[in-house]
Amino acid sequence: MNYYSLNKQAPNTSFKNAVIKGLAPDKGLYFPESISPLPKVFFENIESLSHAEIAFETIKQFVSPDIPEDVLKQIVTETLAFEFPVISFNENISTLELFHGPTMAFKDVGARFMARCLGYFNKENTEEITVLVATSGDTGGAVANGFLGVKGVKVVILYPSGKVSDIQEKQLTTLGQNITALEVDGTFDDCQNMVKNAFLDKALTNHMQLTSANSINVARWLPQLFYFIFAYRQLKRKYKDIVFSVPSGNFGNVCAGMMAQQLGLPVAHFIASNNENNVVTEYLKSQLYNPKPSIQTISNAMDVGDPSNFIRIQNIYKNNFESLEQNLSSYSFSDIQTKAAMKEIYNTYNYVADPHGAVGYLGAKSYLESHPEAHCVFLETAHPTKFLDVVEEVIPEKQGLPTQIEAVMGKVKVSIKVKNYEGLKRYLLK
Ligand SMILES: *Cc1c(COP(=O)(O)O)cnc(C)c1O
């Protein structure tokens, strides 16, 4: 499969090159040249396939011929070595738990898949690749864990000092080996700008191969389409109109769901559930896309003021507002509403949701008001104990720590303090 740049000012390129470059030379996001739907029987017989088999069949066209089939089988098998359970609350609402991976947020799958692709592409170790990534919390840990020990790949994570949770900080600063954490004196937006500057800085790019592990990278973004098919596999016999409510920040996850739909997955509708960072909710009301500086909320992984993958979504619907609107609804909720939802989920269904999942639950409820026949699956994108402060404030029950989290708690944080872009550059050129 070849990929083109959505800015249309750069040549088309292979999967391998798109993964190694991250962004196209014209700074556009890469998008596959074509999408071939899978035969209907694939979805009819899906219960007979394992997760790895589903992943292999659905991602094959996007990575071939750069990754041979036997290597791809191994990559998806290793990537998906944990569970993706669906828990049904009632006839209308289920949740798909995406937090059973090593860092307990849904980003593990994309990070593990991308790490293995890069490891394969660089197995001869011809040129070291440096993965630069800015994180507001979850991406850093998933990327650190996914890329740990991958030969020929060095990972540099920038995170805002004092603005990630204790657990998130431990997950990204305690691994060592090929992973370095830079603790930035600033906000997440500052970290993201430093990364963007680095990609534009010839003094760096002439010296080293830099790539990104944010969802702009096709190898991080595309494997997220598996989730929607896994949920369908578990629910198809019970419900007809399956709707996904996706807690959204950069809109990579919901856009991957739309790719699954393009492959033929029967999905009735998508809901992008937002916190008060509601650029897309507003867009669907007014057709005006107005990026804004991000606002800090309790669902911090969705504090994004200019979602990078929205352009991919518009491309899927050929920039036609009506077809987008038919497939996507969006709602926005405050922190107060989110906390009330966490309480409601706990009291009504005896389930502890994290703040991001709770926003997804609220989106599902809003949609059900006008579509009572639908079955809405909200994505639980992180384990509640990653947001212990909020969860313990709202839910009157001590939360036990899962083994993945306990394992990092006792480790010693190692980070390098960086004040500004010059500091990052000095570190990279050293
Ligand atoms: C990253 C993240 C999101 C947002 O996902 P996007 O693909 O950026 O829309 C939601 N919830 C959690 C817990 C996350 O880590």
Side-chain angles (χ1 to χ4, degrees):
M1 173 73 66
N2 275 339
Y3 289 77
Y4 64 97
S5 164
L6 291 178
N7 281 355
K8 313 236 164 92
Q9 305 293 318
N12 293 11
T13 196
S14 63
F15 174 71
K16 175 177 175 176
N17 204 38
V19 177
I20 291 175
K21 296 285 183 226
L23 265 185
D26 63 357
K27 305 295 157 207
L29 271 67
Y30 279 118
F31 198 88
E33 269 184 357
S34 63
I35 304 171
S36 309
L38 292 156
K40 264 210 164 78
V41 291
F42 174 80
F43 295 103
E44 281 163 13
N45 298 334
I46 200 132
E47 291 105 321
S48 64
L49 302 177
S50 69
H51 283 164
E53 286 165 340
I54 292 171
F56 173 77
E57 292 299 333
T58 51
I59 201 92
K60 195 168 61 178
Q61 63 175 296
F62 298 112
V63 307
S64 120
D66 295 349
I67 299 188
E69 296 203 346
D70 56 327
V71 176
L72 181 60
K73 278 188 182 148
Q74 169 131 23
I75 289 177
V76 293
T77 304
E78 288 174 13
T79 297
L80 299 170
F82 40 86
E83 296 302 311
F84 303 85
V86 174
I87 315 264
S88 288
F89 289 2
N90 60 31
E91 286 299 296
N92 291 112
I93 301 182
S94 295
T95 183
L96 168 63
E97 292 186 347
L98 298 178
F99 54 69
H100 293 274
T103 73
M104 312 212 86
F106 81 89
K107 296 192 172 72
D108 278 326
V109 165
R112 287 158 70 86
F113 183 85
M114 180 183 162
R116 283 166 177 79
C117 290
L118 266 190
Y120 173 73
F121 293 145
N122 212 22
K123 63 184 183 312
E124 323 280 65
N125 230 332
T126 38
E127 190 189 2
E128 188 178 68
I129 298 173
T130 300
V131 173
L132 258 192
V133 60
T135 183
S136 60
D138 287 328
T139 302
V143 168
N145 193 286
F147 282 81
L148 183 67
V150 176
K151 285 204 195 72
V153 180
K154 199 178 143 187
V155 176
V156 180
I157 300 167
L158 288 88
Y159 75 98
S161 182
K163 295 188 179 63
V164 301
S165 79
D166 289 350
I167 288 165
Q168 289 173 328
E169 183 170 46
K170 290 279 186 184
Q171 286 180 329
L172 60 94
T173 57
T174 59
L175 290 175
Q177 297 185 45
N178 57 329
I179 316 290
T180 305
L182 301 184
E183 184 174 352
V184 175
D185 185 12
T187 63
F188 169 66
D189 290 329
D190 296 327
C191 296
Q192 188 138 34
N193 283 332
M194 286 163 71
V195 169
K196 282 186 187 150
N197 284 338
F199 285 117
L200 296 173
D201 190 339
K202 290 248 160 27
L204 287 177
T205 54
N206 289 341
H207 262 86
M208 54 180 65
Q209 185 60 60
L210 284 182
T211 192
S212 151
N214 290 98
S215 55
I216 56 170
N217 196 303
V218 292
R220 242 266 348 245
W221 164 57
L222 284 170
Q224 297 171 357
L225 70 85
F226 305 154
Y227 305 140
F228 300 84
I229 308 178
F230 296 167
Y232 173 77
R233 176 176 179 267
Q234 293 177 71
L235 291 170
K236 64 176 273 210
R237 297 230 172 267
K238 286 196 211 133
Y239 305 109
K240 202 160 61 63
D241 293 329
I242 298 178
V243 172
F244 288 101
S245 173
V246 187
S248 295
N250 260 324
F251 282 66
N253 210 7
V254 66
C255 183
M258 291 166 170
M259 293 297 280
Q261 189 186 37
Q262 297 291 308
L263 289 174
L265 181 73
V267 179
H269 199 73
F270 289 96
I271 303 162
S273 297
N274 284 160
N275 59 26
E276 286 191 87
N277 296 281
N278 59 1
V279 185
V280 174
T281 307
E282 291 302 314
Y283 174 77
L284 285 172
K285 280 188 206 146
S286 66
Q287 299 198 40
L288 296 173
Y289 186 84
N290 285 325
K292 294 184 271 203
S294 57
I295 308 163
Q296 206 170 340
T297 73
I298 57 169
S299 46
N300 66 349
M302 312 199 298
D303 295 351
V304 180
D306 186 8
S308 50
N309 286 287
F310 193 60
I311 183 160
R312 282 186 173 137
I313 293 181
Q314 289 188 298
N315 190 63
I316 290 174
Y317 297 102
K318 307 200 164 49
N319 296 308
N320 180 314
F321 184 79
E322 267 139 44
S323 41
L324 172 64
E325 193 184 34
Q326 270 169 23
N327 251 290
L328 178 71
S329 301
S330 181
Y331 307 96
S332 149
F333 304 97
S334 68
D335 281 356
I336 292 172
Q337 289 173 302
T338 306
K339 285 183 187 173
M342 290 165 71
K343 274 208 183 86
E344 178 178 312
I345 297 168
Y346 181 73
N347 291 335
T348 317
Y349 307 109
N350 195 26
Y351 186 88
V352 181
D354 94 294
H356 304 77
V359 171
Y361 168 82
L362 285 169
K365 276 193 40 172
S366 297
Y367 182 78
L368 284 166
E369 283 172 17
S370 52
H371 298 82
E373 76 298 343
H375 189 82
C376 291
V377 183
F378 74 89
L379 275 47
E380 235 312 5
T381 45
H383 193 280
T385 55
K386 286 196 93 168
F387 305 92
L388 212 51
D389 295 358
V390 187
V391 172
E392 291 199 328
E393 176 199 323
V394 175
I395 291 181
E397 182 186 284
K398 189 94 195 118
Q399 301 297 312
L401 291 185
T403 46
Q404 290 100 313
I405 289 185
E406 236 171 24
V408 295
M409 290 305 274
K411 294 200 181 157
V412 180
K413 159 184 159 182
V414 180
S415 69
I416 297 174
K417 297 223 175 184
V418 168
K419 282 209 161 42
N420 48 30
Y421 180 68
E422 286 311 309
L424 168 65
K425 190 166 172 177
R426 226 175 301 128
Y427 170 77
L428 290 172
L429 289 172
K430 200 172 66 195

